[in-house]
Amino acid sequence: MGEMMPLPTEGMFVGRVWRPGIGPALVVHRDGRLVDVTAPAAPTMRDLLEMDDPAGWIAAQAGEDIGALAEFAVTAGGEDAARLLSPADLQAIKASGVTFAASMVERVIEEQAAGDPDLAAGIRDRIGAAIGANLRGIVPGSDRAAEVARILKAEGLWSQYLEVGIGPDAEIFTKCQPMASVGWGAEVGLHPISRWNNPEPEIVLAVDSRGRIKGATLGNDVNLRDVEGRSALLLGKAKDNNASAAIGPFLRLFDAGYGLDDVRRAELTLRVEGTDGFVLDGRSLMDQISRDPADLVAQAVGPHHQYPDGFMLYLGTLFAPTQDRDAPGQGFTHHTGDVVTISEPALGALTNTVRLSTECPPWRFGAAALMRNLAGRGLLGA
């Protein structure tokens, strides 16, 4: 997989690592070193993010220097090996779908093709002829959005994805259970039934129980296009499988130097490198998102839905790969062994290797195991 790309020199980056013989630890990155700041006041990332000023609290902690970042940015070893974990722990892991109107077209194609990649190219041409470039800058719920929907319906291309893509209500779903996301260097999983799938490079927001956005990181919302294309009711099977949610490498806390406007301007790059020599490059530009990140958070949390442990929210992606890999007209799909790197200048890079979900390490360390571990270390208060 190679070495981890350096983190930006500015900003406060917090994360989670596995310390051999100890268990999960809350860490801050300082000059290439990792400092353990786990404490009764912040035994988990959830507790840190519930603070009014987590960056200020972190800055006041001396902590314990536990080694260079490179010592934890490794992929080999067993369950007790030093490694980077997902920065999320007790938070719900949520995701927003179809938040870029341009990528909405690919969701329509999946549904119209009923999960058959052989039909995708022809449908893509029909949609392009019908609406051309009319989706750029479209505002969901606007008169222009309604006109685009009318054109697609007239062409027999109506889809429920139109409703969440350009209608008033966002699609927000559960990507995986708390503690189930994986971090930098981990294997990411594809359900073995899938033959048409792809990575989804996204920004992930960290939101506390009061709906306050505390920071941002990177995510790979691994997606099974054929499964979701057969029926939107199979979204859970398409999205939530062993090791199918990657988040990391670290959470950058919002402070005076970095905030939501930086997220709005972010430019993500994606690279997929296959063992067959195949290379795919892509981008996702956050200034083209159809729904503002703050609006997505507001649709997720409020009087209608509470998250006492906060939540992580994938914001969706502009990227939908159409580059042919295995056969003309079939577009892109993963091969096992693909190395996926999602990067953004202010957030670093998230790198993972693609496997089948059945071949990835099984998920065993859940919320109950975390609580027992922290209690045994004397980190839980009364």
Side-chain angles (χ1 to χ4, degrees):
M1 177 181 291
E3 295 182 356
M4 182 179 185
M5 294 175 62
L7 290 173
T9 56
E10 297 181 350
M12 182 166 289
F13 291 87
V14 295
R16 297 172 61 247
V17 302
W18 186 273
R19 295 186 63 182
I22 297 175
L26 187 65
V27 298
V28 61
H29 176 259
R30 291 176 178 163
D31 298 323
R33 309 287 296 180
L34 295 184
V35 177
D36 186 343
V37 292
T38 316
T44 66
M45 183 67 75
R46 177 267 180 203
D47 292 298
L48 175 68
L49 298 181
E50 286 297 307
M51 296 179 180
D52 290 333
D53 182 16
W57 184 87
I58 287 281
Q61 307 305 305
E64 176 192 356
D65 187 320
I66 59 172
L69 171 58
E71 297 175 38
F72 289 84
V74 295
T75 58
E79 291 185 355
D80 195 41
R83 63 190 184 277
L84 295 175
L85 302 174
S86 164
D89 45 40
L90 295 176
Q91 296 90 347
I93 310 297
K94 309 293 287 188
S96 312
V98 205
T99 53
F100 290 78
S103 67
M104 175 191 69
V105 170
E106 289 300 314
R107 305 288 84 78
V108 176
I109 290 168
E110 290 168 10
E111 185 178 56
Q112 292 284 323
D116 186 349
D118 295 327
L119 303 178
I123 297 169
R124 190 175 293 112
D125 290 342
R126 285 182 60 202
I127 293 177
I131 61 175
N134 288 336
L135 290 175
R136 184 178 176 85
I138 199 168
V139 177
S142 67
D143 291 342
R144 183 179 168 201
E147 175 62 15
V148 170
R150 185 194 66 76
I151 292 171
L152 288 172
K153 289 176 182 178
E155 290 293 317
L157 294 170
W158 180 88
S159 166
Q160 55 205 323
Y161 292 102
L162 293 174
E163 184 60 41
V164 296
I166 57 180
D169 298 314
E171 177 193 20
I172 297 176
F173 59 92
T174 297
K175 172 62 181 176
C176 70
Q177 300 304 302
M179 299 291 296
S181 58
V182 299
W184 183 95
E187 296 175 339
V188 290
L190 303 171
H191 195 293
I193 66 170
S194 177
R195 67 184 185 96
W196 187 22
N197 42 68
N198 64 276
E200 294 192 353
E202 307 189 18
I203 293 240
V204 180
L205 296 181
V207 186
D208 73 6
S209 65
R210 286 178 276 178
R212 301 177 299 180
I213 306 171
K214 293 300 187 64
T217 184
L218 299 171
N220 184 357
D221 177 11
V222 179
N223 182 48
L224 310 183
R225 299 190 70 179
D226 46 2
V227 174
E228 186 178 357
R230 283 162 48 204
S231 170
L233 297 180
L234 293 174
L235 183 65
K237 194 176 190 69
K239 293 289 192 178
D240 186 5
N241 297 292
N242 184 39
S244 65
I247 302 176
F250 290 84
L251 175 67
R252 182 167 184 176
L253 294 177
F254 284 0
D255 55 20
Y258 182 78
L260 195 56
D261 283 341
D262 296 285
V263 170
R264 294 182 174 112
R265 294 188 293 264
E267 298 185 5
L268 287 75
T269 58
L270 168 80
R271 169 158 281 215
V272 178
E273 300 172 280
T275 58
D276 56 350
F278 178 87
V279 175
L280 172 72
D281 290 300
R283 294 198 306 162
S284 186
L285 307 178
M286 287 297 294
D287 65 0
Q288 294 187 32
I289 197 169
S290 302
R291 299 185 187 274
D292 186 75
D295 293 337
L296 289 168
V297 170
Q299 290 211 29
V301 64
H304 64 288
H305 200 311
Q306 294 78 48
Y307 293 90
D309 294 318
F311 60 100
M312 307 291 283
L313 181 63
Y314 286 79
L315 294 179
T317 186
L318 173 67
F319 175 75
T322 59
Q323 179 180 333
D324 289 336
R325 182 173 194 174
D326 294 325
Q330 287 199 351
F332 170 84
T333 194
H334 270 307
H335 290 187
T336 56
D338 283 351
V339 175
V340 180
T341 300
I342 298 165
S343 57
E344 202 280 328
L347 297 174
L350 172 65
T351 301
N352 302 97
T353 301
V354 175
R355 304 291 182 203
L356 297 180
S357 288
T358 50
E359 297 173 350
C360 294
W363 175 40
R364 293 192 178 97
F365 198 91
L370 176 63
M371 292 300 101
R372 286 192 292 268
N373 176 276
L374 295 175
R377 292 156 61 188
L379 289 166
L380 297 184

